[in-house]
Amino acid sequence: MTIQFNDESFRDDYTFHNSDWAIKRFPFPFHEDSYMYSVNMEQHRGGPEGSVYEMRFDVDEHYVSEMKDRAIVLDQDPLRCQSLPHMTLAGWDLLELIMVSKSEDYPDLFELHRNGNQWRWINKPLGIDHSFTFMDETTLPYGPMEYITRQAQGDFAVLDQRDEMLWMDAGMVTTQADWSLDFDIGMNFFEWHAPVPKAHEMGIFQRALKFLLNIQQGAPARRLNWTMTVNPLLDTSPENYHKWGIQKTTLTPENIAHKQHLRVELQTFFRLPRSNALVFPIRCYLCSFQDLMTVPKWGRRLHRVVRDLPVELATYKGFIDNRPMMLDYLSQFDDGLPTSPGIWPDLETEPPLTK
Amino acid sequence: MSKFEFPKSIASRPVWGTLEVRPGEHHLMIAEAEGAEAVLDIATPDLMAKTHLIYIPKGADFTTKLQALNPAQFYEGPSYEAALHRIRRVLEDAHMGLQVYLTGTEGMMGQAMNEVMAVGLPHTAIQTEHRGSVARRMQCVHCKGITEDVEVDPFVCVHCGLNLFVRDHYSRRLAAYQGVRVDAEDHGNVPKPKGIYE
Ligand code: HEM
């Protein structure tokens, strides 16, 4: 299908919106009626047609506007994109991975023509037609990682692998759930995860690291993570928290339906060929409560998950104060009926709301 | 003086050790304030004869006692920033096998550790021991400015003036903990500051 790109904003007047298509393919992150941290990783080898799992790097209706928002963030704070000196090769690996994947998966939107090291990249949605020399930084307007991630939705952490450990040595981070690349750069897997409650004690990070260290080229993996965001604000950074934090207090029973968003990260993991680095794209999807409630199964389930989530997690995710108001709203969409297993909407088979 | 027991904390927070004498022909010790006591605890005539000792008193008074140890070289600097140029010069000549001893506040040890690593010495060549003030070196996550020697939580960023709370999340690269606006969700509601470990 051809994608109609939205003209929308993720700040100020917040004109962001999801089409029916985007709602139905939203990566709802709960496969059952409760949630706890787990090593929830699986192979990233496609998925149902039209779903966010289908392509290696999903492109959707928000692409063009998200890239504009990224450019604004970088303009205001260049520290959101950093690469330690030894990570340039990994940047070229990433550029290649994204250009090859997108041109193969979306041939009507992206083209890559290669003649030895002479490459021509055409990005139709963003109006780019650029010829450059692969591995020659002087032929690009930015470093290779910055160049390509200004054209790819989601944040990117690029991890160096050495001493049986992953090190966050490069990244492009403008749509993050409240963590700072500038602060975390150079940290290892356990250090940057330090603020997460419970998961260390549960042994989750030990097992997850083991899995990641063994990811092979051509065999990427994925997982979902989630949090809550008031207003469709992509840049929920600690850097700007002194400005956006107050927005959390603007939630009211009257506006919660369209103001409160479930924020889901599709996280994928790819081994890079030359550098042996690991790239970790963190793709953010936002969906308002009222749009989620159009899927009866999701309405029932979201209420139960939010209601039963341990206090530590609701606090860490930053919505403990707003939880009672969320539950007042969500409970209207929970009629107590059972829900089918799995994350998919199951619109044909799940009963409509009986309340 | 008894040593402060830091409460158990998160994985990014550094863990400091206890200095002990290591074999080697060259030793560099950097002591700040009460860190002098950690040096006095391990000093032997043989060790000190091979030691370049750099001392930053920060108001403490151990200079005479340290000089009496007869280190191979002794330097007293009025501040870490002032001593830094000399530290870098000494590290330029560092031989593989140089043993480094850092003792004093977390901020000094964290920064000096980065200097040592920058010249390619392995982290195994560095020992640390916390002594004296438990104040923290804090980075404001908003303006990126560093505020040194923060003793209370919350505190005022000396650069942008925001009231920040003191996190345990620590960056070795910055040798600093993270400070985040405390009243971001309720402007003007700043709790009364208290000691970081109170
Ligand atoms: C190597 C790739 C990864 C990177 C770069 C990464 C990065 C991060 C970062 C920066 C945070 C925020 C920490 C903070 O509060 O400052 C985080 C949170 C978290 N990470 Fe990872 N992570 C990676 C892989 C994983 C994997 C494989 C798991 C598997 C279980 C995992 C589980 C979590 C969990 C449970 C949280 C807390 C999220 C929440 O409650 O919202 N991470 N991660």
Side-chain angles (χ1 to χ4, degrees):
Chain A
M1 74 171 271
T2 49
I3 303 168
Q4 288 293 322
F5 295 108
N6 299 346
D7 182 8
E8 60 192 355
S9 60
F10 300 89
R11 56 184 66 231
D12 307 325
D13 57 353
Y14 294 112
T15 58
F16 163 87
H17 55 282
N18 282 311
S19 65
D20 284 343
W21 173 72
I23 297 169
K24 298 294 173 293
R25 72 197 296 277
F26 183 75
F28 190 73
F30 309 113
H31 63 91
E32 58 188 7
D33 287 354
S34 64
Y35 178 81
M36 190 37 174
Y37 293 146
S38 64
V39 189
N40 55 336
M41 280 188 277
E42 61 179 12
Q43 295 303 315
H44 183 38
R45 267 189 308 234
E49 197 185 326
S51 76
V52 301
Y53 288 157
E54 185 182 9
M55 306 303 188
R56 285 165 281 185
F57 295 89
D58 182 48
V59 175
D60 69 7
E61 63 192 31
H62 308 297
Y63 177 52
V64 175
S65 293
E66 280 187 31
M67 293 302 97
K68 281 190 191 142
D69 195 72
R70 164 155 296 162
I72 296 171
V73 175
L74 290 171
D75 188 45
Q76 294 172 354
D77 182 3
L79 293 174
R80 302 300 187 83
C81 179
Q82 295 192 45
S83 178
L84 297 182
H86 60 279
M87 296 303 282
T88 307
L89 183 61
W92 284 110
D93 276 336
L94 179 61
L95 175 142
E96 176 186 55
L97 175 68
I98 294 177
M99 286 186 178
V100 169
S101 303
K102 283 195 167 182
S103 59
E104 288 175 0
D105 293 350
Y106 300 92
D108 51 334
L109 299 179
F110 305 96
E111 289 175 27
L112 179 63
H113 305 279
R114 288 182 282 185
N115 179 6
N117 277 345
Q118 297 309 307
W119 292 23
R120 180 175 173 208
W121 166 246
I122 301 173
N123 177 336
K124 292 179 191 164
L126 296 184
I128 293 169
D129 181 343
H130 189 131
S131 295
F132 63 97
T133 309
F134 186 67
M135 294 287 209
D136 179 354
E137 276 191 78
T138 62
T139 60
L140 290 178
Y142 309 99
M145 178 190 72
E146 178 165 357
Y147 179 75
I148 196 58
T149 56
R150 279 176 178 266
Q151 301 179 43
Q153 286 164 278
D155 286 342
F156 291 81
V158 189
L159 301 321
D160 195 23
Q161 182 161 331
R162 48 178 202 273
D163 309 329
E164 289 294 289
M165 182 45 83
L166 293 169
W167 303 85
M168 195 186 291
D169 286 349
M172 165 68 90
V173 176
T174 67
T175 69
Q176 67 288 64
D178 209 2
W179 64 278
S180 166
L181 172 72
D182 181 52
F183 195 77
D184 286 3
I185 195 166
M187 288 189 192
N188 71 36
F189 189 80
F190 298 121
E191 290 170 341
W192 80 64
H193 278 122
V196 180
K198 281 179 175 282
H200 294 267
E201 296 85 327
M202 293 167 68
I204 283 177
F205 290 126
Q206 308 265 1
R207 279 179 286 140
L209 175 63
K210 216 170 190 174
F211 183 97
L212 296 179
L213 291 173
N214 288 314
I215 285 181
Q216 306 294 315
Q217 201 193 320
R222 69 183 172 218
R223 67 185 287 266
L224 294 176
N225 188 46
W226 67 279
T227 188
M228 293 284 182
T229 305
V230 175
N231 292 326
L233 174 63
L234 279 178
D235 178 28
T236 46
S237 58
E239 277 82 357
N240 283 331
Y241 171 67
H242 60 308
K243 299 178 195 156
W244 62 262
I246 199 78
Q247 292 183 25
K248 291 197 210 172
T249 64
T250 61
L251 210 61
T252 66
E254 291 70 43
N255 66 26
I256 187 168
H258 66 268
K259 233 185 195 330
Q260 181 63 56
H261 290 70
L262 178 61
R263 181 187 193 104
V264 176
E265 295 174 350
L266 169 56
Q267 308 182 336
T268 49
F269 308 86
F270 296 82
R271 177 71 60 199
L272 297 174
R274 299 173 188 77
S275 57
N276 197 41
L278 195 73
V279 64
F280 180 56
I282 312 156
R283 173 63 185 283
C284 172
Y285 296 86
L286 294 163
C287 192
S288 68
F289 271 17
Q290 67 186 13
D291 285 349
L292 287 167
M293 295 306 113
T294 62
V295 178
K297 170 179 167 182
W298 292 353
R300 294 182 179 104
R301 182 165 290 170
L302 188 61
H303 172 246
R304 298 169 196 175
V305 168
V306 172
R307 181 190 62 201
D308 300 338
L309 194 74
V311 171
E312 291 99 315
L313 270 71
T315 305
Y316 173 75
K317 290 173 187 286
F319 66 87
I320 191 80
D321 290 347
N322 285 334
R323 174 150 75 172
M325 204 192 299
M326 289 179 183
L327 290 176
D328 280 346
Y329 173 77
L330 293 172
S331 60
Q332 306 169 67
F333 301 89
D334 186 358
D335 52 16
L337 291 184
T339 53
S340 57
I343 64 173
W344 309 107
D346 298 334
L347 281 166
E348 273 75 56
T349 47
E350 286 290 278
L353 183 69
T354 56
K355 204 169 174 176
Chain B
M1 199 184 121
S2 67
K3 274 176 68 172
F4 183 76
E5 284 290 330
F6 290 104
K8 189 170 160 2
S9 186
I10 63 176
S12 58
R13 194 187 197 303
V15 178
W16 312 106
T18 304
L19 298 187
E20 54 182 58
V21 182
R22 294 251 180 92
E25 286 310 301
H26 302 279
H27 303 260
L28 171 65
M29 296 184 180
I30 305 175
E32 181 192 41
E34 284 81 17
E37 293 180 313
V39 173
L40 291 165
D41 282 355
I42 60 162
T44 62
D46 181 46
L47 172 67
M48 297 317 286
K50 297 181 237 164
T51 295
H52 187 153
L53 174 57
I54 291 175
Y55 183 54
I56 302 150
K58 260 198 158 175
D61 183 18
F62 292 92
T63 307
T64 330
K65 281 187 185 161
L66 290 176
Q67 277 174 323
L69 298 173
N70 288 319
Q73 260 180 291
F74 180 79
Y75 162 78
E76 184 180 293
S79 67
Y80 177 75
E81 287 66 34
L84 183 57
H85 304 278
R86 182 182 180 106
I87 292 169
R88 287 192 175 143
R89 179 67 189 82
V90 174
L91 287 171
E92 258 176 41
D93 289 348
H95 303 268
M96 262 309 158
L98 176 75
Q99 291 295 332
V100 180
Y101 306 74
L102 308 174
T103 174
T105 61
E106 298 193 273
M108 186 285 284
M109 291 190 287
Q111 291 176 85
M113 206 182 289
N114 283 342
E115 297 295 331
V116 179
M117 304 284 281
V119 298
L121 285 172
H123 64 89
T124 49
I126 309 170
Q127 296 183 69
T128 59
E129 180 166 339
H130 174 264
R131 291 281 181 134
S133 165
V134 295
R136 293 186 180 187
R137 181 175 144 91
M138 300 294 307
Q139 188 196 37
C140 171
V141 76
H142 312 298
C143 81
K144 307 291 181 187
I146 299 272
T147 303
E148 301 282 356
D149 297 318
V150 171
E151 288 176 344
V152 294
D153 176 20
F155 69 100
V156 177
C157 173
V158 296
H159 303 273
C160 69
L162 285 175
N163 290 283
L164 308 179
F165 71 91
V166 172
R167 289 191 78 190
D168 281 346
H169 200 26
Y170 178 86
S171 158
R172 281 187 285 146
R173 182 181 72 92
L174 300 166
Y177 291 89
Q178 191 177 72
V180 178
R181 181 170 183 182
V182 68
D183 57 337
E185 296 179 26
D186 189 3
H187 293 180
N189 183 7
V190 179
K192 208 166 146 295
K194 52 186 180 113
I196 290 174
Y197 298 97
E198 266 174 46

